[in-house]
Amino acid sequence: MYDKNNVFAKMIRGEIPTNKVYENEYAMSFYDINPMFQTHVLVIPKGEYQNILDFSQNATPAEQLAFWECFNKTADILGIECNFNCLANAGAAAPFVKQSVFHFHLHLVAGNRTDAFEELVSEFR
Ligand code: AMP
């Protein structure tokens, strides 16, 4: 069940500060608070969707269009044309990187690795 008190829901409601890159009616993007790469932005729908499957199965066509419009504009603003990664973690037991905020988000990352990334990968060694 969707938790209305997750940190992204609070950002959408304007209850906590957000370093926004772009926003439209149904989606927004903002800088990750703990960047793993030189550029690390999260793209989220404003609707209450727990993960990528929930979003792709249940979001309206308008919400889905707006999400991809936000993704495209964000990449454009950041100057990312190629050489980036896009990642969606789903579930607290996801095998690669676990989902920690249960509101669907795409990580959009580019550029050099940060110390936070080195710390993360050290857990796999
Ligand atoms: P995930 O592990 O895929 O659920 O990723 C959640 C991401 O949200 C992490 O990369 C966090 O650094 C990021 N995050 C958590 N709180 C905030 C916040 N207040 N502002 C921006 N990013 C956040």
Side-chain angles (χ1 to χ4, degrees):
M1 218 216 313
Y2 182 84
D3 171 15
K4 288 177 187 289
N5 283 321
N6 75 73
V7 68
F8 296 168
K10 289 180 182 168
M11 290 164 90
I12 292 163
R13 292 196 294 267
E15 292 167 9
I16 57 172
T18 309
N19 193 1
K20 277 182 203 163
V21 178
Y22 181 75
E23 180 174 20
N24 63 29
E25 188 177 358
Y26 294 116
M28 66 190 215
S29 60
F30 51 89
Y31 288 95
D32 194 293
I33 204 167
N34 184 31
M36 298 278 165
F37 295 85
Q38 199 176 337
T39 299
H40 188 166
V41 166
L42 303 173
V43 185
I44 67 168
K46 292 183 183 174
E48 297 179 351
Y49 302 103
Q50 207 167 325
N51 61 32
I52 192 167
L53 274 184
D54 187 17
F55 180 73
S56 62
Q57 290 170 359
N58 299 314
T60 65
E63 287 176 309
Q64 306 222 18
L65 260 181
F67 181 83
W68 292 113
E69 195 264 348
C70 182
F71 176 85
N72 273 285
K73 280 273 168 44
T74 300
D76 191 36
I77 291 165
L78 297 172
I80 295 173
E81 286 168 9
C82 51
N83 301 314
F84 62 86
N85 291 102
C86 208
L87 188 69
N89 304 316
F96 176 42
V97 179
K98 295 167 183 45
Q99 185 176 6
S100 60
V101 179
F102 295 89
H103 179 109
F104 168 49
H105 51 283
L106 271 190
H107 294 256
L108 178 56
V109 301
N112 295 331
R113 299 165 174 185
T114 65
D115 290 346
F117 176 82
E118 301 301 344
E119 264 173 51
L120 176 74
V121 294
S122 70
E123 290 171 21
F124 291 94
R125 295 199 182 106

